[in-house]
Coordinates of all heavy atoms in Angstrom, one line a residue:
Y1040 N -15.7 21.3 7.9 CA -15.2 21.3 9.2 C -15.0 22.7 9.7 O -14.7 23.6 9.0 CB -13.8 20.7 9.4 CG -13.9 19.1 9.3 CD1 -13.9 18.5 8.1 CD2 -14.1 18.3 10.4 CE1 -14.0 17.1 7.9 CE2 -14.3 17.0 10.4 CZ -14.2 16.4 9.1 OH -14.4 15.0 9.0
P1041 N -15.3 23.0 11.1 CA -15.3 24.4 11.5 C -13.7 24.8 11.7 O -13.3 24.7 12.9 CB -16.1 24.5 12.7 CG -16.0 23.0 13.2 CD -15.9 22.1 12.0
K1042 N -12.9 25.0 10.6 CA -11.5 25.3 10.7 C -11.2 26.3 9.7 O -11.9 26.6 8.8 CB -10.8 24.0 10.5 CG -11.0 23.5 9.1 CD -10.1 22.3 8.8 CE -10.2 22.0 7.3 NZ -9.0 21.3 6.7
T1043 N -10.0 26.8 9.9 CA -9.4 27.8 8.9 C -8.6 26.9 7.8 O -8.9 25.7 7.6 CB -8.5 28.8 9.6 OG1 -7.4 28.0 10.2 CG2 -9.2 29.7 10.6
H1044 N -7.7 27.5 7.2 CA -7.0 26.8 6.1 C -5.8 26.0 6.8 O -4.6 26.3 6.9 CB -6.3 27.9 5.1 CG -5.8 27.3 4.0 ND1 -6.6 26.7 2.9 CD2 -4.6 27.1 3.4 CE1 -6.0 26.3 1.9 NE2 -4.7 26.5 2.1
S1045 N -6.3 24.9 7.3 CA -5.4 24.0 8.0 C -5.9 22.6 8.0 O -6.9 22.2 7.3 CB -5.4 24.4 9.5 OG -6.9 24.4 10.1
V1046 N -5.4 21.6 8.8 CA -5.9 20.3 8.9 C -6.2 20.2 10.4 O -5.4 20.4 11.3 CB -4.7 19.3 8.5 CG1 -5.3 17.8 8.6 CG2 -4.2 19.6 7.1
A1047 N -7.5 19.6 10.7 CA -8.0 19.6 12.0 C -7.8 18.1 12.5 O -7.9 17.2 11.7 CB -9.4 20.0 12.0
E1048 N -7.7 17.9 13.7 CA -7.6 16.5 14.3 C -8.8 15.7 14.0 O -8.6 14.5 13.7 CB -7.4 16.6 15.8 CG -7.0 15.2 16.4 CD -6.5 15.3 17.7 OE1 -6.1 16.4 18.3 OE2 -6.5 14.2 18.4
D1049 N -10.1 16.2 14.2 CA -11.2 15.3 13.9 C -11.3 15.0 12.6 O -11.8 14.0 12.1 CB -12.5 16.0 14.4 CG -12.7 17.4 13.9 OD1 -11.8 18.0 13.4 OD2 -13.8 17.9 14.0
E1050 N -10.7 15.9 11.6 CA -10.8 15.7 10.1 C -9.8 14.4 9.8 O -10.0 13.7 9.2 CB -10.4 17.0 9.5 CG -10.1 16.8 8.1 CD -9.7 18.2 7.4 OE1 -8.9 19.0 8.2 OE2 -10.0 18.5 6.3
L1051 N -8.7 14.5 10.5 CA -7.7 13.5 10.3 C -8.1 12.1 10.8 O -7.9 11.1 10.1 CB -6.4 13.9 11.1 CG -5.5 14.9 10.3 CD1 -4.3 15.3 11.2 CD2 -5.0 14.5 8.9
Q1052 N -8.9 12.1 11.9 CA -9.4 10.9 12.5 C -10.4 10.3 11.3 O -10.4 9.2 11.1 CB -10.1 11.1 13.8 CG -9.2 11.5 14.9 CD -9.9 11.9 16.1 OE1 -11.1 12.2 16.2 NE2 -9.1 12.1 17.2
M1053 N -11.3 11.2 10.9 CA -12.2 10.7 9.9 C -11.5 10.3 8.6 O -11.8 9.2 8.1 CB -13.2 11.9 9.4 CG -14.2 11.5 8.5 SD -13.7 11.5 6.6 CE -13.2 13.3 6.5
I1054 N -10.5 10.9 8.2 CA -9.7 10.5 7.0 C -9.1 9.2 7.2 O -9.0 8.3 6.3 CB -8.7 11.6 6.6 CG1 -9.4 12.8 6.1 CG2 -7.5 11.0 5.6 CD1 -8.3 14.0 5.8
A1055 N -8.5 9.0 8.4 CA -7.9 7.6 8.8 C -8.9 6.5 8.6 O -8.6 5.4 8.0 CB -7.3 7.7 10.1
E1056 N -10.1 6.8 9.2 CA -11.1 5.7 9.1 C -11.7 5.5 7.7 O -11.8 4.4 7.3 CB -12.3 6.1 10.0 CG -12.0 6.1 11.5 CD -11.6 4.7 11.9 OE1 -12.1 3.7 11.5 OE2 -10.5 4.6 12.6
W1057 N -11.7 6.6 6.9 CA -12.2 6.5 5.5 C -11.1 5.6 4.7 O -11.5 4.7 3.9 CB -12.2 7.9 5.0 CG -12.8 8.0 3.5 CD1 -14.1 8.1 3.2 CD2 -12.1 8.0 2.4 NE1 -14.2 8.1 1.8 CE2 -12.9 8.1 1.2 CE3 -10.7 8.0 2.0 CZ2 -12.5 8.2 -0.1 CZ3 -10.2 8.1 0.7 CH2 -11.1 8.1 -0.3
I1058 N -9.8 5.8 5.0 CA -8.8 5.1 4.2 C -8.9 3.6 4.6 O -8.8 2.7 3.8 CB -7.5 5.6 4.5 CG1 -7.2 7.0 3.9 CG2 -6.3 4.6 4.1 CD1 -6.0 7.8 4.5

Side-chain angles (χ1 to χ4, degrees):
Y1040 288 86
K1042 62 171 191 157
T1043 59
H1044 196 66
S1045 60
V1046 181
E1048 185 168 347
D1049 55 343
E1050 177 183 30
L1051 285 174
Q1052 291 171 353
M1053 182 277 299
I1054 288 170
E1056 289 307 311
W1057 185 86
I1058 291 167

